[in-house]
Amino acid sequence: MRQLVRETTLAAEHLIAPIFVTEGTAREAVASMPGVERVPADAVAADAVALYRLGVRAVILFGIPNVKDAEGSGSFADDGVTQRAVRAIKAAVPELVVITDVCLCEYTDHGHCGVLGADGAPLNDATLPVLGRIAVSHARAGADIVAPSGMMDGMVGTIRAALDADGHTDVAILSYSVKYASAFYGPFRDAAATSLRTGDRRTHQMDPANAREAMREADLDVSEGADMLMVKPALVYLDIVHALRARHPALPLVAYQVSGEYAMLKAAAANGWLDERATVLETLLSIRRAGADAIITYFAGDVARWLHDGWP
Ligand code: PBG
């Protein structure tokens, strides 16, 4: 009877699996994210096939190049790490939705999400054309959805225009509309080697104290042509997920359970302090209950496997 009257569901097709892709030859563990690996571009297709067989319908790729430079030029290279991974996955499992993270921070030696100005902070307008270039290169490789994560004003409009001009009218934009300047990204920065040498990201990422501003960020993205919106992190911003669900009822809403949220649960479970499966399910259900259609989570593969085995 509980199942009959249940209001919120969780299934593998609600999950988006993040994958860190490298130009290396061996898989590498990420110390602060037990169970997560950096995967060579040549090996990533096998992971994608395995996820698809478990019912996961989408992945989001984060490329980690061998060489980083001040301009982040690896980000839009035709044979760049992300572009290679997209091609490999699309060749192996064309039905799997491939989303790519569109940002400069994984490709710049300074780790910032944009072209730097004299004061060492990213320049919004100078960064926009580069984002357009990255998105087009991902679309040419076969990406279905591009996800700009750098919180630059005007990024969605610029990317839409660039994609359309190159003939990619069917490639969708999932905007990291509401991305907070969060301490919960720490483990990701280990994984992607994007820690900043100097400065911080508070010039463009959102102040955790602000909710009304989040609505404004999302409204701007919608007006520029965003196809889907994202809130990130998820668990400590469920009020924002809930408010955005109501404000843009027609748009799919994605929430990102980020690296720090994953690390917290993993660490407590490893100590025997929390029941991993039960707490993971509870967090994911709460994110869905708040209004997210889909959830980006490092638990995607595990949860899909657990569900496949008849859990809970
Ligand atoms: C930036 C980006 C970040 C994450 C996803 N895209 C990091 C940042 O803003 O520093 C974080 C994801 C996570 O913590 O899991 N391209």
Side-chain angles (χ1 to χ4, degrees), residues 24-238:
T25 50
R27 290 172 181 268
E28 299 157 348
V30 178
S32 50
M33 301 177 74
V36 173
E37 291 177 330
R38 284 185 286 251
V39 185
D42 299 332
V44 78
D47 294 42
V49 170
L51 284 164
Y52 190 75
R53 288 208 178 116
L54 287 167
V56 175
R57 290 292 169 257
V59 293
I60 181 163
L61 303 183
F62 298 95
I64 309 164
N66 275 346
V67 180
K68 305 188 184 215
D69 61 25
E71 284 77 42
S73 54
S75 60
F76 47 75
D78 244 0
D79 59 347
V81 57
T82 303
Q83 293 79 355
R84 280 175 48 207
V86 173
R87 282 193 200 97
I89 293 173
K90 277 305 197 185
V93 51
E95 291 303 316
L96 182 69
V97 173
V98 175
I99 309 171
T100 54
D101 186 73
V102 174
C103 195
L104 275 170
C105 64
E106 291 110 56
Y107 301 90
T108 51
D109 53 12
H110 45 71
H112 276 287
C113 303
V115 179
L116 295 190
D119 64 353
L123 289 171
N124 191 93
D125 292 6
T127 301
L128 294 178
V130 189
L131 297 181
R133 233 174 131 177
I134 300 173
V136 166
S137 75
H138 290 176
R140 285 183 184 172
D144 302 290
I145 301 175
V146 293
S149 64
M151 288 295 279
M152 296 294 142
D153 291 336
M155 64 185 186
V156 172
T158 303
I159 288 173
R160 184 72 271 160
L163 288 173
D164 290 354
D166 205 58
H168 306 289
T169 49
D170 289 346
V171 171
I173 300 175
L174 161 60
S175 180
Y176 285 68
S177 302
V178 183
K179 177 172 176 179
Y180 285 92
S182 171
F184 284 98
Y185 306 150
F188 175 95
R189 291 177 187 164
D190 285 349
T194 59
S195 291
L196 296 179
R197 287 204 203 133
T198 55
D200 61 49
R201 291 182 171 84
R202 285 178 299 177
T203 55
H204 49 289
Q205 295 186 353
M206 276 202 38
D207 184 342
N210 293 357
R212 294 192 304 263
E213 187 188 3
M215 303 302 114
R216 184 166 176 235
E217 289 282 1
D219 292 355
L220 283 170
D221 285 354
V222 172
S223 72
E224 291 174 27
D227 299 287
M228 307 178 193
L229 305 176
M230 194 196 301
V231 175
K232 174 187 172 194
L235 208 50
V236 285
Y237 298 96
L238 291 184

